[in-house]
C-alpha cells in the first residue's frame, strides 16, 4: 500500500538483495525480474544506493534469472539495445476506397520507406463473421492474407497481413512488404487499383529536444514511474509505483507522510477509482482526467515528417497523427525498440505526454507494434479524444532528463472523407 510504514529503516543494498531473492523464488512469469531494476533506479535517485552497487546487484540477479531460462537472455539483449539512426519515410494520408475486390476495402495510410512499403486498411464483413484479434494468417481470420502492390516504375511486391483485428462487422490491419517501392512514385497500385499520391508535403510542425529542469530527482522519478504504470497497468504483475514508494519508505529515503507521496496517492486513487483520498490533483493529472472519458474528438489524420534524437538515449521518427471521436494515436518508429514495445518486462524509458492550447493533457501508451530491441514501429494510443476546439497540439515524449517537443497545428488535420 502507498505510504506503508516499515520500521526501522533498512539498509538499501540489503533491501534490494532481499527483493531479488523474493523474485527468484516467486517468479510468477518470466518478466518478474524487471521489478528489481525499477526499484534500484528509485533508490539510486534517492541517494541511498551507490550507482556501482546498483549495477552489481542487478547484474548478479539478472545472471541468476537468465540461468533459469524463460527467455531472459533475449529480454536482456532487448533492454540493452542502443539507439540507431532512423531513416526518413514518406507517409501519405488517405483514405482511398479500393473497389477491385469484393467486398471493397479502404486504405487509410500508405508508408514508403527505403527498405519497405506498408499501408493500413479496413473493410467490412458479412453478418455472422467470427470476432477476435490474431496475427497474420490466423486460422479463421477474415482479414485478407495479402495484397499485391506496385509503383510507377513497374516494381511489384506482395504486402502481407502484419497482424490485425476484426469484429462481427469489420476488420482492420496493416499490410507490409520488405520489398521497397519507389518513395517518390506519383501513384501506387493496390489490388489492381491505381491510387494517385499527392506530392510529399512537409508538415509545419516545429520540433526540438530540451532538457528538463533539474529538481527533486526522487519526485521526478516517481511521477515518471506513475505515468508509466498508468499506461502499462494491465500488463504488469505489480504496480511500479507501489514498489517504488514501498522501497523509499522501507529504507528511510522518504517518510511515509511525505507530501510528494501523498500527492501520488491522491492521483493513484483518482485513477483507480478507489477513493479514500481527498484534495486537488497536481498537474498535469487534473487536466488529463478532464478529457479521459469524452467522445467528441475530431475525425481525421495528418502526415508528419518529424525526427527527434537523443531523448535520454532514444531516437524517434513521428510519421502520422490520427484522431477519432474516442481518442487519437501517433504512428512512429523508435530506437531502441523497447520505447514502444508493449511486451511486459521491457523497460520503456519514455512516457508519451501531450497537451493542447485549451489546457488539456493526454497520456499515451503502446498500441499495435512490431520490431525488436534495436528498432520498432507502431502506435502510441492516447487516452481521451482531442478537444475539438483545440488548434495546437504539443506532443511531449518525456524521459527523466530530456524531452522532445513537437508542436502540431491541428488546422492541418486532414478530415476523413
Amino acid at each position: 500500500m502507498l505510504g506503508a510504514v516499515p520500521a526501522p529503516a533498512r539498509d538499501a543494498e540489503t533491501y534490494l538483495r532481499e527483493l531479488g531473492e523474493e523474485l527468484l523464488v516467486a517468479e510468477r512469469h518470466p518478466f518478474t525480474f524487471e521489478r528489481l531494476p525499477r526499484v534500484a533506479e528509485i533508490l539510486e535517485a534517492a541517494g541511498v544506493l551507490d550507482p556501482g552497487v546498483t549495477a552489481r546487484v542487478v547484474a548478479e540477479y539478472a545472471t541468476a534469472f537468465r540461468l533459469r531460462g524463460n527467455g531472459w537472455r533475449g529480454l536482456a539483449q532487448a533492454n540493452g539495445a542502443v539507439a540507431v539512426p532512423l531513416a526518413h519515410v514518406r507517409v501519405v494520408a488517405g483514405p482511398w476506397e479500393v473497389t477491385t475486390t469484393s467486398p471493397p476495402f479502404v486504405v487509410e495510410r500508405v508508408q514508403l520507406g527505403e527498405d519497405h512499403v506498408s499501408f493500413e486498411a479496413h473493410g467490412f464483413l458479412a453478418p455472422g463473421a467470427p470476432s477476435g484479434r490474431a496475427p497474420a494468417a490466423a486460422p479463421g481470420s477474415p482479414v485478407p492474407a495479402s495484397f499485391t502492390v506496385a509503383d510507377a516504375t513497374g516494381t511489384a511486391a506482395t504486402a502481407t497481413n502484419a497482424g490485425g483485428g476484426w469484429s462481427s462487422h469489420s476488420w482492420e490491419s496493416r499490410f507490409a512488404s520488405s520489398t521497397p517501392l519507389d518513395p517518390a512514385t506519383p501513384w501506387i497500385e493496390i489490388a489492381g487499383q491505381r491510387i494517385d499520391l499527392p506530392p510529399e508535403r512537409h508538415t509545419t510542425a516545429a520540433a526540438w529536444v530540451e532538457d528538463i529542469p533539474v529538481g527533486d530527482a526522487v519526485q521526478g522519478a516517481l511521477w515518471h514511474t506513475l505515468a508509466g504504470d498508468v499506461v502499462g497497468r494491465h500488463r504488469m504483475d505489480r504496480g511500479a509505483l507501489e514498489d517504488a514508494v514501498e522501497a523509499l519508505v522501507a529504507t528511510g529515503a522518504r517518510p511515509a507522510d511525505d507530501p510528494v507521496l501523498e500527492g501520488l496517492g491522491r492521483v493513484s486513487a483518482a485513477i483507480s477509482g478507489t477513493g479514500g483520498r481527498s484534495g486537488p490533483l497536481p498537474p498535469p493529472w487534473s487536466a488529463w482526467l478532464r478529457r479521459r472519458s469524452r467522445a467528441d474528438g475530431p475525425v481525421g489524420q495528418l502526415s508528419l515528417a518529424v525526427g527527434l534524437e537523443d531523448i535520454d538515449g532514444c531516437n524517434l521518427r513521428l510519421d502520422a497523427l490520427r484522431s477519432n471521436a474516442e481518442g487519437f494515436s501517433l504512428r512512429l518508429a523508435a530506437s531502441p525498440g523497447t520505447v514502444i514495445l508493449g511486451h511486459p518486462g521491457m523497460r520503456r524509458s519514455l512516457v508519451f505526454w501531450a497537451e493542447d492550447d485549451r489546457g488539456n493533457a493526454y497520456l499515451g501508451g503502446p498500441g499495435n507494434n512490431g520490431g525488436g530491441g534495436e528498432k520498432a514501429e507502431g502506435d502510441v494510443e492516447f487516452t481521451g479524444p482531442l478537444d475539438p476546439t483545440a488548434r495546437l497540439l504539443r506532443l511531449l515524449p518525456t524521459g527523466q532528463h530530456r524531452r522532445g517537443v513537437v508542436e502540431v497545428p491541428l488546422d492541418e488535420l486532414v478530415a476523413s472523407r
Side-chain angles (χ1 to χ4, degrees):
M1 178 181 294
L2 294 179
V5 188
R10 297 159 63 185
D11 174 73
E13 180 179 353
T14 301
Y15 181 90
L16 191 63
R17 289 186 177 278
E18 289 178 351
L19 176 59
E21 295 296 331
E22 174 189 327
L23 299 179
L24 277 173
V25 173
E27 197 173 358
R28 286 178 289 277
H29 54 64
F31 304 110
T32 303
F33 172 73
E34 282 304 317
R35 288 175 57 192
L36 192 70
R38 288 198 300 260
V39 169
E41 290 166 3
I42 289 290
L43 294 177
E44 185 178 311
V48 295
L49 203 58
D50 181 85
V53 174
T54 299
R56 184 173 68 252
V57 174
V58 171
E60 289 175 6
Y61 283 95
T63 299
F65 271 84
R66 284 197 297 272
L67 290 174
R68 288 176 174 242
N70 293 323
W72 283 106
R73 184 175 302 278
L75 180 60
Q77 291 171 348
N79 278 333
V82 297
V84 299
L86 297 171
H88 171 74
V89 299
R90 179 186 177 190
V91 179
V92 187
W96 305 275
E97 185 179 17
V98 177
T99 59
T100 53
T101 63
S102 181
F105 65 95
V106 175
V107 174
E108 292 286 351
R109 189 165 56 215
V110 173
Q111 180 171 300
L112 298 160
E114 297 176 354
D115 57 358
H116 74 284
V117 58
S118 66
F119 63 90
E120 283 87 33
H122 73 265
F124 295 94
L125 304 174
S131 61
R133 190 157 201 92
S141 168
V143 183
S146 65
F147 290 107
T148 299
V149 295
D151 64 16
T153 70
T155 302
T158 299
T160 58
N161 177 11
W166 63 91
S167 66
S168 60
H169 63 279
S170 65
W171 60 264
E172 61 179 358
S173 189
R174 176 175 178 266
F175 297 85
S177 172
S178 58
T179 300
L181 302 185
D182 179 10
T185 184
W187 53 265
I188 186 174
E189 186 178 275
I190 300 177
Q193 179 169 316
R194 177 167 158 172
I195 296 172
D196 292 321
L197 302 178
E200 185 170 11
R201 181 174 62 87
H202 293 289
T203 178
T204 58
W208 66 91
V209 177
E210 63 187 22
D211 293 333
I212 296 174
V214 177
D216 184 332
V218 177
Q219 180 174 341
L222 286 170
W223 285 119
H224 192 83
T225 298
L226 175 59
D229 201 1
V230 169
V231 299
R233 184 178 295 276
H234 64 289
R235 297 184 177 94
M236 299 172 67
D237 177 60
R238 173 187 170 106
L241 178 65
E242 184 173 319
D243 270 349
V245 171
E246 183 177 295
L248 289 170
V249 176
T251 59
R254 285 290 171 104
D257 59 354
D258 187 292
V260 172
L261 304 188
E262 177 61 29
L264 286 163
R266 289 200 305 273
V267 174
S268 181
I271 292 170
S272 64
T274 58
R277 292 174 186 255
S278 60
L281 300 184
W285 296 99
S286 55
W288 172 69
L289 285 171
R290 188 163 57 237
R291 295 287 306 163
R292 188 172 62 156
S293 59
R294 304 295 293 271
D296 58 352
V299 177
Q301 57 182 320
L302 176 66
S303 296
L304 304 174
V306 176
L308 298 168
E309 294 187 349
D310 194 17
I311 309 174
D312 282 8
C314 303
N315 296 335
L316 300 178
R317 186 191 70 226
L318 279 55
D319 294 332
L321 178 72
R322 185 174 183 179
S323 172
N324 58 45
E326 290 77 29
F328 66 99
S329 62
L330 179 65
R331 183 75 186 183
L332 77 166
S335 182
T338 52
V339 173
I340 60 172
L341 287 173
H343 306 305
M346 287 190 172
R347 280 172 283 162
R348 294 181 289 274
S349 54
L350 301 184
V351 172
F352 287 83
W353 283 102
E355 61 186 26
D356 62 28
D357 58 352
R358 305 295 293 178
N360 299 301
Y362 311 88
L363 182 59
N368 292 331
N369 50 60
E374 183 178 271
K375 173 187 172 184
E377 295 190 36
D379 297 305
V380 169
E381 299 176 351
F382 288 83
T383 52
L386 288 172
D387 189 321
T389 66
R391 290 296 171 263
L392 183 71
L393 180 69
R394 286 163 51 93
L395 299 168
L396 303 167
T398 303
Q400 293 198 40
H401 306 289
R402 308 190 81 198
R403 73 174 185 176
V405 182
V406 181
E407 295 186 337
V408 181
L410 295 178
D411 287 335
E412 297 186 11
L413 203 65
V414 179
S416 297
R417 299 186 294 274

